[in-house]
């Protein structure tokens, strides 16, 4: 187990009072598995992913990542966990438009202050892993949606994080690209990563080791 929520809730202040987005959620994310988090729009699944990604603190309950209780950490220590322990894959790819594919991948390594030699080596390795070496010098606008998502996966993977978090990673892809991306995420889980995928698409359940459903901020079902 590399991450867990214990009776975690997230509440925001709104003009009409307190808005509870997550309510008493408990779950675990294990190394070597692909966990699917399913729910309709507005169900709270992205907030759940944001908690696991150390982007926000729980209002109540406990969040643990890699053995650390996140509730007690400073913002700087939270940022260090995001950089070193967690890789993010987003629906809209979030690649930097002015950088080539390989420079987008290398960006987190530069933030970690690795040497140029190490950056080149690790960038090469992940480009090969997602079968994108021939596209390394292209800008994001020169890549298809599926190719951009594979570069985004490589960027998430290059720091060798224990956790890969994906927010609707296939929503912008055609059917063929969807299968390619999910096969790669499944392989990452089989290689020992803890992979969590948020989606509203039940077709992705065939790739999952476990599924949880969330509705109105409550985890309502767990499927093994």
């Amino acid at each position: 187990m590399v991450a867990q929520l214990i009776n975690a809730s997230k509440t925001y202040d709104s003009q009409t009072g307190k808005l509870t987005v997550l309510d008493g959620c408990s779950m675990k994310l294990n190394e070597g598995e692909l966990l699917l988090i399913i729910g309709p729009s507005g169900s709270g699944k992205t907030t759940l992913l944001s908690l696991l990604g150390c982007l926000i603190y729980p209002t109540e309950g406990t969040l643990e990542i890699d053995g650390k209780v996140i509730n007690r950490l400073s913002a700087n220590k939270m940022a260090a966990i995001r950089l070193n322990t967690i890789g993010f894959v987003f629906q809209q790819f979030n690649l930097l438009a002015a950088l080539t594919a390989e420079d987008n991948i290398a960006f987190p390594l530069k933030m970690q202050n690795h040497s140029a030699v190490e950056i080149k080596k690790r960038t090469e390795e992940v480009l090969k892993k997602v079968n994108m070496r021939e596209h390394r010098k292209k800008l994001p606008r020169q890549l298809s949606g599926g190719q951009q998502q594979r570069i985004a996966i490589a960027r998430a993977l290059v720091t060798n994080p224990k956790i890969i978090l994906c927010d609707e990673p296939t929503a912008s892809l055609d059917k063929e690209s969807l299968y390619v991306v999910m096969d790669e995420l499944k392989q990452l889980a089989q290689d020992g990563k803890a992979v969590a995928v948020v989606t509203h698409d039940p077709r992705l359940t065939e790739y999952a080791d476990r599924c949880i459903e969330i509705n109105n901020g409550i985890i309502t079902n767990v499927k093994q």
Side-chain angles (χ1 to χ4, degrees), residues 5 8 10 22 47-58 63:
L5 292 168
K10 186 62 182 179
L22 288 178
T47 300
L48 182 61
L49 203 72
S50 296
L51 281 172
L52 292 173
C54 294
L55 295 170
I56 56 177
Y57 295 94
L63 167 62

Side-chain angles (χ1 to χ4, degrees), residues 20-23 25 39-45 214-220:
T20 299
V21 183
L22 288 178
D23 189 4
C25 291
S41 178
S43 62
K45 59 186 186 297
I214 184 166
N215 281 286
N216 298 319
I218 299 171
I219 295 175
T220 58

Side-chain angles (χ1 to χ4, degrees), residues 11-139:
T11 302
Y12 295 98
D13 292 320
S14 69
Q15 293 182 344
T16 58
K18 298 289 185 180
L19 175 64
T20 299
V21 183
L22 288 178
D23 189 4
C25 291
S26 296
M27 60 158 290
K28 293 181 180 180
L29 178 60
N30 302 308
E31 293 179 347
E33 74 170 358
L34 194 155
L35 174 68
L36 207 64
I37 303 171
I38 300 176
S41 178
S43 62
K45 59 186 186 297
T46 297
T47 300
L48 182 61
L49 203 72
S50 296
L51 281 172
L52 292 173
C54 294
L55 295 170
I56 56 177
Y57 295 94
T59 306
E60 296 180 359
T62 302
L63 167 62
E64 293 184 9
I65 302 291
D66 199 21
K68 301 180 179 67
V69 178
I70 301 304
N71 311 52
R72 304 169 187 165
L73 297 185
S74 67
N76 285 341
K77 289 183 177 179
M78 282 261 283
I81 288 178
R82 289 195 299 271
L83 180 61
N84 298 307
T85 306
I86 302 168
F88 294 92
V89 180
F90 301 98
Q91 175 182 345
Q92 298 301 328
F93 320 129
N94 287 8
L95 300 177
L96 298 173
L99 299 184
T100 64
E102 66 178 350
D103 286 339
N104 266 282
I105 294 169
F107 189 76
L109 296 176
K110 293 178 180 178
M111 293 181 64
Q112 291 180 329
N113 296 316
H114 287 285
S115 68
V117 172
E118 179 70 8
I119 290 172
K120 181 177 176 59
K121 174 177 174 290
R122 290 168 70 167
T123 301
E124 281 275 353
E125 288 172 351
V126 295
L127 276 165
K128 183 178 180 180
K129 192 174 187 68
V130 299
N131 196 27
M132 288 291 290
R133 291 180 68 187
E134 64 187 85
H135 302 289
R136 59 190 302 159
K137 296 298 184 182
K138 291 183 179 179
L139 296 171

Side-chain angles (χ1 to χ4, degrees), residues 144-162:
S144 70
Q147 290 170 338
Q148 288 185 62
Q149 193 60 288
R150 288 156 74 183
I151 293 299
I153 291 172
R155 181 183 58 188
L157 190 60
V158 75
T159 58
N160 195 29
K162 292 184 176 182

Side-chain angles (χ1 to χ4, degrees), residues 89-91 149 166-173 181-182 185 197-198:
V89 180
F90 301 98
Q91 175 182 345
Q149 193 60 288
C166 310
D167 192 2
E168 300 280 8
T170 62
S172 302
L173 305 183
V181 166
M182 289 307 300
L185 292 175
V197 178
V198 156

